[in-house]
Amino acid sequence: MKHFLTVKDIDSLPQWVAEAIALKQDPYQFKNLGRGKTICLLFFNNSLRTRLSTQKAAIHLGMEVMVMNFGNEGWSLEYEDGLIMDQGTSEHIREAAQVVSQYCDMVAIRAFAGLKDKSKDEAEEVLMGFTQFASVPVVNMESSTAHPLQALADAITLAENKITAKPKVVLSWAPHPKALPHAVANSFVRMIKRQEVDFSITHPEGYELNPEITEGCPVAYDQEKALENADFIYVKNWSSYTHYGQILSKDANWMMTSEKLGNAKFMHCLPVRRNVVVEDVVLDGTQSLVVEQAKNRTFSAQIVLKKLLEEL
């Protein structure tokens, strides 16, 4: 594995999950693997769990960590070739990626979708720009269309909490006041399709995800029917894909409640808006796995970094 960019880079999901769970028992068991190595974390967007969990994962492996918030600390980057750079951008990705590569042994990137231009977002110009021009491994800490570290943490959480061989898992849309990207939902679907589960997606009409990603997945527009007898309910908002980046509905009836949850375990990637996406009693209840998911972000990142370090 040269880079970790999507869930597709996981060669054996069950094996990675098992290794990550083993790491939780002794997080420092491979602390010599990263000794003398440096990872540079570049954030083009805000972060809490991703930043801290990836730093902690690197520390567990003995790595040094450098962090830069590109939004307010770095020069604005240009990604297109052949331009006369006499406008807003100050530095080209060609130079920036090569320079960063000289300062570290691995670089991790977080850059959200703009939700204005679908083709531009799907081109992943920030992530792919660094992948093309950096001379060190690149890790995706969430890009325009994918959040594989979160999906891997979700797989770990499912493995630790399932009580049946083939649990029923439902991904449910929820209302939100802002237009949100598709990255988490996309990667969750890609990950769950590799699991032995009874999976379906429920959302209002018009909120269909990229059909290339959801191909083969049952979709229901009746949320309460879709949630019946679920073992795990993963709740997430996303904006329209067809009417790209638009909010088509803020229907509060899609908020997750304890009545809808039933006996299922509740999952969400965080941050979450209380009493908009999910009511307090669900988040604070014993069926909520959100804090466990956040903890597992450290070990999803650690198994990824370990795999990459073993190839250096």
Side-chain angles (χ1 to χ4, degrees), residues 260-276:
K260 293 179 187 177
L261 186 66
N263 295 318
K265 297 290 188 180
F266 174 78
M267 300 180 71
H268 191 283
C269 61
L270 300 181
V272 65
R273 297 203 179 211
R274 285 175 173 257
N275 303 308
V276 175

Side-chain angles (χ1 to χ4, degrees), residues 96-304:
Q98 292 179 74
V99 168
V100 169
S101 299
Q102 296 179 109
Y103 304 146
C104 61
D105 302 281
M106 201 179 297
V107 60
I109 311 291
R110 183 177 177 92
F112 293 168
L115 293 179
K116 302 295 183 184
D117 184 328
K118 182 191 292 187
S119 61
K120 185 176 181 179
D121 284 344
E122 291 187 335
E124 297 278 17
E125 63 178 11
V126 181
L127 182 68
M128 299 313 297
F130 274 93
T131 303
Q132 181 179 357
F133 298 114
S135 57
V136 297
V138 175
V139 176
N140 182 357
M141 295 192 298
E142 187 174 0
S143 63
S144 296
T145 66
H147 198 348
L149 289 177
Q150 180 64 55
L152 181 52
D154 297 335
I156 297 166
T157 307
L158 287 167
E160 292 179 316
N161 287 276
K162 69 178 184 179
I163 57 175
T164 60
K166 189 177 180 180
K168 180 177 179 179
V169 181
V170 182
L171 172 63
S172 177
W173 179 92
H176 198 282
K178 295 173 60 178
L180 296 185
H182 308 94
V184 170
N186 286 346
S187 289
F188 184 78
V189 172
R190 289 190 186 278
M191 177 277 294
I192 208 70
K193 288 172 75 172
R194 299 174 65 175
Q195 301 265 40
E196 188 67 27
V197 297
D198 174 8
F199 177 63
S200 63
I201 307 170
T202 183
H203 55 71
E205 293 189 53
Y207 277 99
E208 292 77 13
L209 293 162
N210 183 340
E212 294 182 5
I213 295 174
T214 59
E215 182 180 4
C217 298
V219 175
Y221 301 125
D222 184 333
Q223 185 193 35
E224 293 195 22
K225 185 176 181 180
L227 299 180
E228 289 179 359
N229 301 314
D231 296 297
F232 297 91
I233 299 173
Y234 198 112
V235 175
K236 185 70 180 78
N237 173 268
W238 59 85
S239 55
S240 175
Y241 180 78
T242 304
H243 302 282
Y244 193 66
Q246 293 184 26
I247 297 175
L248 305 182
S249 172
K250 294 183 181 179
D251 187 352
N253 291 319
W254 280 78
M255 180 180 72
M256 184 54 53
T257 64
S258 57
E259 183 178 359
K260 293 179 187 177
L261 186 66
N263 295 318
K265 297 290 188 180
F266 174 78
M267 300 180 71
H268 191 283
C269 61
L270 300 181
V272 65
R273 297 203 179 211
R274 285 175 173 257
N275 303 308
V276 175
V277 172
V278 55
E279 64 180 6
D280 284 337
V281 67
V282 172
L283 270 178
D284 298 331
T286 58
Q287 293 163 242
S288 176
L289 298 178
V290 298
V291 175
E292 285 189 47
Q293 287 174 265
K295 180 178 182 179
N296 282 333
R297 287 294 309 278
T298 295
F299 299 98
S300 68
Q302 189 168 343
I303 194 65
V304 168

Side-chain angles (χ1 to χ4, degrees), residues 57-118:
I59 291 169
H60 282 164
L61 293 167
M63 301 183 78
E64 299 291 335
V65 184
M66 298 191 295
V67 180
M68 184 173 185
N69 295 305
F70 237 92
N72 53 29
E73 295 177 343
W75 300 111
S76 55
L77 296 183
E78 179 59 62
Y79 300 92
E80 293 187 37
D81 286 330
L83 293 181
I84 298 173
M85 290 175 53
D86 60 353
Q87 299 299 316
T89 54
S90 305
E91 184 165 9
H92 202 280
I93 184 65
R94 286 177 173 268
E95 291 79 55
Q98 292 179 74
V99 168
V100 169
S101 299
Q102 296 179 109
Y103 304 146
C104 61
D105 302 281
M106 201 179 297
V107 60
I109 311 291
R110 183 177 177 92
F112 293 168
L115 293 179
K116 302 295 183 184
D117 184 328
K118 182 191 292 187

